[in-house]
Amino acid sequence: GHHLRQRLVTSMIGFPLRGKAHMARRLKRYLEFFHGFQVQLFDVNDYIEEADGDARLLEDLRAFFEPGQDSTHDFKQKHVSSGRFAILYVTDTYAALPSMWSGHSKWRRRWMAQTLENELQAHSIFVEIQVDDTMTHRQEYMDRLERSRGLPAGTLVRNINDYSQHYVTIQADGTEDDLAYMKLINYNHKVVTNNMMRSFIGSRIAQFLTSVHPYKRTVYLSRHGESEYNVEKKIGGDSSLSPLGREYAPRLAEFADLVICGGHEMFECVTLSAEEASTIRSRLSRVPASGQTGGVFAKGKWEGNVRQGMRLKRMQL
């Protein structure tokens, strides 16, 4: 499509430990697989050790966008080498502060956009990731990271506070409205876009990034309930469900309600025989286990994974 004739550079910006590198890698795979771009990641930290690091990063970007060509190559050849997408990110946010490519201030973002346009005829997109550090999983993540790195407790919070003295968020006062950018606030909880919907690929990037976050997800896969043909070892067809298949449907609904939506970690479905059902009262108690509040609880010995003290959530006759 026409978007493959564009040269685009996206810069991931934000406070430390916001998942910028993760989001950059996810965006790279998405653009390559679904939109046919040639994508390359550029870690700004690879260029901060040398005095001419900013100039060297610009030349590496030029080499990426113009492979094997000098600045005098003709119009036709320029289009052959287009359809490329560069993503800038940092692996050490605080260490990248001296770089002009860090994007941590309004002036640096302006310099980046103008330099890319004037030197490479490339369009820039800024993706700012904002995360509330009071979120439980954020605190747990920073605690684990400090332990794994052997850092004193609170080190990462102090580093983030120090960085906040330098960082300037993308302004909403109109002074940066000419830039293309999006803000991901707590990842997909709130999204702000500016000039992203003017192009096809900008709108696709916005849609994709609003569904991405760096936290673990659990995906549940389920087959249909057992069919009569399953029982008879037949392949194909469109038979009715067997008795077990009909039982599976409400059990799956219970599992979704209690575990997937309700967040319960211990859940066990039990089918009682007629004899066991007749003695159900003797196997339940209203006396809660230690630390639990009111309800009906299992007592004594049960078959399967039911243990004494587990709360009865639902009974289906």
Side-chain angles (χ1 to χ4, degrees):
H2 69 278
H3 60 278
L4 291 180
R5 295 194 297 271
Q6 298 176 345
R7 297 177 176 185
L8 296 165
V9 179
T10 288
S11 178
M12 298 287 181
I13 63 175
F15 277 21
L17 304 176
R18 264 53 184 175
K20 297 184 290 295
H22 171 83
M23 301 289 269
R25 289 189 288 267
R26 292 291 299 273
L27 181 59
K28 177 181 186 291
R29 290 196 292 267
Y30 169 75
L31 291 170
E32 289 176 335
F33 186 83
F34 288 101
H35 297 288
F37 272 100
Q38 298 182 58
V39 184
Q40 184 165 327
L41 299 175
F42 292 86
D43 183 354
V44 176
N45 290 94
D46 291 340
Y47 299 86
I48 61 176
E49 297 296 331
E50 301 177 16
D52 63 342
D54 290 338
R56 192 160 60 86
L57 177 51
L58 176 61
E59 291 309 307
D60 283 355
L61 286 168
R62 191 190 308 278
F64 171 65
F65 285 117
E66 303 171 2
Q69 301 295 325
D70 58 30
S71 59
T72 62
H73 64 283
D74 60 24
F75 179 82
K76 181 177 179 181
Q77 188 62 45
K78 177 182 285 188
H79 280 275
V80 171
S81 61
S82 296
R84 292 171 178 256
F85 201 113
I87 302 177
L88 306 182
Y89 71 104
V90 294
T91 48
D92 187 334
T93 307
Y94 196 82
L97 271 173
S99 173
M100 291 294 293
W101 297 98
S102 64
H104 73 269
S105 69
K106 179 178 175 181
W107 179 68
R108 277 174 164 77
R109 292 190 289 270
R110 180 68 55 193
W111 177 88
M112 290 172 64
Q114 292 176 349
T115 300
L116 291 170
E117 179 65 32
N118 296 336
E119 295 288 336
L120 304 178
Q121 295 76 54
H123 300 289
S124 58
I125 297 173
F126 294 94
V127 178
E128 180 177 4
I129 303 174
Q130 299 180 0
V131 182
D132 183 357
D133 275 332
T134 62
M135 298 170 68
T136 302
H137 52 251
R138 285 285 307 160
Q139 294 175 330
E140 293 175 349
Y141 169 71
M142 288 192 289
D143 289 343
R144 290 197 305 271
L145 192 60
E146 285 177 338
R147 290 194 297 269
S148 67
R149 294 181 178 180
L151 299 174
T155 299
L156 296 179
V157 172
R158 288 192 294 273
N159 288 346
I160 292 171
N161 290 338
D162 289 343
Y163 185 80
S164 68
Q165 304 302 311
H166 304 273
Y167 185 77
V168 178
T169 185
I170 295 176
Q171 300 296 288
D173 58 4
T175 57
E176 294 190 90
D177 280 0
D178 58 316
L179 300 178
Y181 67 80
M182 63 184 300
K183 292 185 179 184
L184 301 173
I185 302 170
N186 289 334
Y187 301 107
N188 50 11
H189 289 193
K190 181 179 179 180
V191 179
V192 178
T193 64
N194 185 72
N195 291 333
M196 294 293 292
M197 304 305 172
R198 292 185 176 182
S199 66
F200 170 79
I201 196 62
S203 65
R204 297 302 92 189
I205 291 172
Q207 182 185 48
F208 174 72
L209 290 179
T210 56
S211 63
V212 177
H213 64 72
Y215 299 116
K216 179 182 177 180
R217 291 182 178 179
T218 300
V219 177
Y220 295 91
L221 303 177
S222 172
R223 292 192 62 201
H224 60 77
E226 183 185 66
S227 70
E228 293 176 349
Y229 279 7
N230 291 148
V231 176
E232 298 171 7
K233 309 298 183 184
K234 294 182 179 179
I235 298 176
D238 187 21
S239 68
S240 300
L241 293 174
S242 70
L244 281 178
R246 289 191 293 273
E247 177 71 12
Y248 180 76
R251 290 292 178 85
L252 180 61
E254 288 182 345
F255 180 86
D257 181 34
L258 297 175
V259 178
I260 300 176
C261 300
H264 294 278
E265 296 182 354
M266 297 178 62
F267 178 77
E268 182 74 14
C269 263
V270 178
T271 299
L272 301 178
S273 65
E275 181 180 351
E276 290 172 326
S278 66
T279 61
I280 188 66
R281 289 183 179 275
S282 65
R283 307 175 72 184
L284 298 172
S285 171
R286 289 192 177 276
V287 178
S290 176
Q292 298 195 65
T293 56
V296 178
F297 304 88
K299 71 175 183 178
K301 186 176 180 180
W302 289 66
E303 296 295 329
N305 294 323
V306 176
R307 296 192 296 277
Q308 182 165 317
M310 291 181 70
R311 188 194 304 268
L312 175 67
K313 294 297 295 185
R314 186 177 303 163
M315 183 179 294
Q316 179 179 314
L317 301 177

